[in-house]
Amino acid sequence: MKWVVGVTGASGLQLAHTFLQILGKNPGGSFGRLFLVVSKNAGKVAAAEGSDFNPADYAGRFELISPDDFAAPIASGSFGFDGMVVIPASMSTVGALASGFGTNLIHRCGDVCMKEGRRLILVPRETPFSLIHLENMTKLKQAGVDIMPFVPSFYNKPASIDDVTRFFALRLLDVMGVHQPDKNRWGDE
Ligand SMILES: Cc1cc2nc3c(=O)[nH]c(=O)nc-3n(C[C@H](O)[C@H](O)[C@H](O)COP(=O)(O)O)c2cc1C
């Protein structure tokens, strides 16, 4: 499978870091080419949060594409990729996707997913949500987009932020259709 990961300037860049690390190890042997697009604002938020997120760290496994590169393969429906995850997804990116008024490659790639009927999974980050945020996410859900806000699980008894972000990354892989066994899953040994 070929997947795109978009990273935007919402809080929680550590989530992107953990997810990219796990995805880069090719869980289940499921992934071929992987693409990474990082918005211009994501770097500022990563610095503000003291996160481990650094796009260069993933360059070995992911093809890094500039958010300005509208000529990239993933900007076209004729390039056969399977889907995109946006983690974390800012409310301005959610708004751009819901309105169809995209200004960068993350928006364009999401638009391609929706028009081609491919998977688009958003990990929105904001609290509290305004009515505009909720209406935008409702509209996206109606258009077939998966809305998977970062909501930590507690039944797996996390002892650290790393436990929380790792378990969320596994749940995200579930939604992508890649099941990874884990002793902390409900019902697993
Ligand atoms: C430290 C910091 C934290 C932020 N956290 C959020 C957030 O959690 N959710 C959100 O929607 N925007 C957040 N923002 C604002 C976005 O960065 C801003 O709306 C930006 O336009 C997003 O652009 P992008 O989606 O192209 O990355 C934050 C900004 C800063 C500086």
Side-chain angles (χ1 to χ4, degrees):
M1 291 196 291
K2 297 189 197 89
W3 276 76
V4 180
V5 179
V7 177
T8 73
S11 183
L13 271 297
Q14 197 63 25
L15 283 172
H17 174 66
T18 306
F19 177 64
L20 289 166
Q21 276 192 320
I22 293 175
L23 186 61
K25 289 181 186 147
N26 196 15
S30 310
F31 297 95
R33 288 175 78 180
L34 291 168
F35 304 88
L36 175 61
V37 189
V38 180
S39 82
K40 289 179 180 161
N41 294 307
K44 293 176 202 160
V45 179
E49 293 186 332
S51 149
D52 293 326
F53 178 79
N54 176 7
D57 290 348
Y58 320 105
R61 183 60 182 90
F62 291 80
E63 297 175 43
L64 255 59
I65 308 178
S66 159
D68 293 328
D69 187 0
F70 288 106
I74 58 171
S76 172
S78 67
F79 180 69
F81 64 98
D82 296 277
M84 175 164 83
V85 174
V86 184
I87 176 170
S90 75
M91 288 303 108
S92 66
T93 288
V94 166
L97 290 167
S99 68
F101 189 76
T103 55
N104 68 30
L105 182 61
I106 295 173
H107 308 157
R108 170 61 189 165
C109 191
D111 218 36
V112 167
C113 289
M114 286 189 275
K115 81 185 178 76
E116 301 291 335
R118 297 180 194 162
R119 300 296 304 280
L120 176 59
I121 306 171
L122 305 182
V123 180
R125 282 277 303 154
E126 190 48 278
T127 197
F129 289 126
S130 72
L131 179 62
I132 304 294
H133 301 151
L134 291 167
E135 284 182 349
N136 282 339
M137 288 188 284
T138 300
K139 193 172 173 189
L140 288 166
K141 181 70 188 175
Q142 285 166 340
V145 177
D146 291 294
I147 307 291
M148 191 170 173
F150 171 61
V151 176
S153 304
F154 290 96
Y155 57 82
N156 55 320
K157 301 185 180 67
S160 64
I161 290 178
D162 198 48
D163 283 354
V164 170
T165 55
R166 215 179 78 34
F167 201 73
F168 182 80
L170 292 185
R171 295 289 293 115
L172 187 47
L173 282 170
D174 288 344
V175 175
M176 293 166 75
V178 177
H179 181 87
Q180 285 293 95
D182 185 87
K183 66 177 171 42
N184 291 319
R185 281 181 185 278
W186 190 254
D188 276 10
E189 294 295 312

